[in-house]
Amino acid sequence: MLTVKDLHVYYGAIHALKGISLEVRQGEIVTLIGANGAGKTTTLHTLSGLIKPKSGVIRFQDQDIAGMAAQKIVAMGMSQVPEGRRIFANMSVLENLELGAFLRKDKDGIKEDMEKVFTRFPRLKERTSQLAGTLSGGEQQMLAMGRALMSRPKLMLLDEPSMGLAPLLVQEIFAIIKEINEAGTTILLVEQNAHMALSIAHKAYVLETGKIVLSGPAKELAESEEVKKAYLGG
């Protein structure tokens, strides 16, 4: 579904991504783990069209999307749940969800997807008219995920979904990510909580200072001494 080859990204003189290559197949959860500043968020921003790469190939469903406008990429079926949620705080829960579908014209489909979001996140249904900024951190994460689902993505990019959440909520959010994947959405997950990410992913890549240093089946990486030492506190 997604192929990235030899991707180079610069912030001014800083070489942020140094030739990374990765693959996401349909139906998978693929995770990108690494320390703060390794280039994980930069990778997602480049894939979703928020940053233009200096060079390299990004193919999504057999189309070259490197440097394409972000809204076109969303229309093709890739949506991002940004780091820190980025919900619209002064708008209601319902308005936030409706914004997720702003590129769509199929009213019946939108209504159907809204019901699906409320079935998956019952807490959002109870709070439809509440201002999004007054939700708890976990509820805001659910809203950000629900908003992304409203664009009916084929591929969902998730950036640090566990950030700032209590351990019990982290478990809940990861269970929901797994459900979303099982219902047919392919997922590329960026996460500092390597233990949780590896527990639900099919495949994993380890990013260090803009380079992929390890990759393989998530189960294997979770058992790797190198990964245990660096990311799993073992």
Side-chain angles (χ1 to χ4, degrees), residues 84-97 117-118 121-147 163-165 169 173:
R85 317 284 193 231
R86 303 280 175 91
I87 47 137
F88 298 99
N90 297 324
M91 295 170 85
S92 72
V93 166
L94 186 62
E95 287 166 335
N96 268 271
L97 292 172
V117 167
F118 287 145
F121 304 107
R123 270 182 266 178
L124 298 182
K125 189 169 190 173
E126 294 161 15
R127 294 166 169 72
T128 48
S129 54
Q130 196 172 319
L131 287 183
T134 64
L135 299 176
S136 71
E139 288 161 356
Q140 289 188 11
Q141 184 61 51
M142 290 172 192
L143 180 57
M145 287 160 74
R147 182 181 60 188
M163 189 187 268
L165 299 185
L169 269 173
I173 291 292

Side-chain angles (χ1 to χ4, degrees), residues 4 26 36 49 72 92 141 148 168 172 178 189 192 204 206 223:
V4 176
Q26 191 161 347
N36 244 338
K72 279 190 179 168
S92 72
Q141 184 61 51
L168 263 179
E172 191 179 340
K178 215 173 164 184
L189 167 69
Q192 260 191 301
V206 179
E223 294 303 313

Side-chain angles (χ1 to χ4, degrees), residues 152-210:
R152 204 174 265 188
K154 296 179 180 80
L155 174 63
M156 190 191 255
L157 310 178
L158 278 163
D159 196 354
E160 302 284 7
S162 78
M163 189 187 268
L165 299 185
L168 263 179
L169 269 173
V170 172
Q171 299 275 359
E172 191 179 340
I173 291 292
F174 273 84
I176 292 165
I177 293 168
K178 215 173 164 184
E179 278 170 30
I180 289 170
N181 174 248
E182 283 162 1
T185 306
T186 305
I187 288 171
L188 178 58
L189 167 69
V190 153
E191 183 52 72
Q192 260 191 301
N193 186 334
H195 183 72
M196 286 301 293
L198 292 171
S199 75
I200 65 163
H202 301 98
K203 198 164 72 192
Y205 293 90
V206 179
L207 201 56
E208 271 178 25
T209 57

Side-chain angles (χ1 to χ4, degrees), residues 92-109:
S92 72
V93 166
L94 186 62
E95 287 166 335
N96 268 271
L97 292 172
E98 285 169 347
L99 272 173
F102 80 102
L103 288 175
R104 292 173 59 182
K105 303 281 183 278
D106 55 324
K107 280 190 178 154
D108 291 346

Side-chain angles (χ1 to χ4, degrees), residues 94 97-98 109-119 150:
L94 186 62
L97 292 172
E98 285 169 347
I110 291 170
K111 202 175 162 189
E112 189 187 312
D113 285 351
M114 189 73 79
E115 281 312 311
K116 281 186 189 165
V117 167
F118 287 145
T119 303
M150 287 302 295

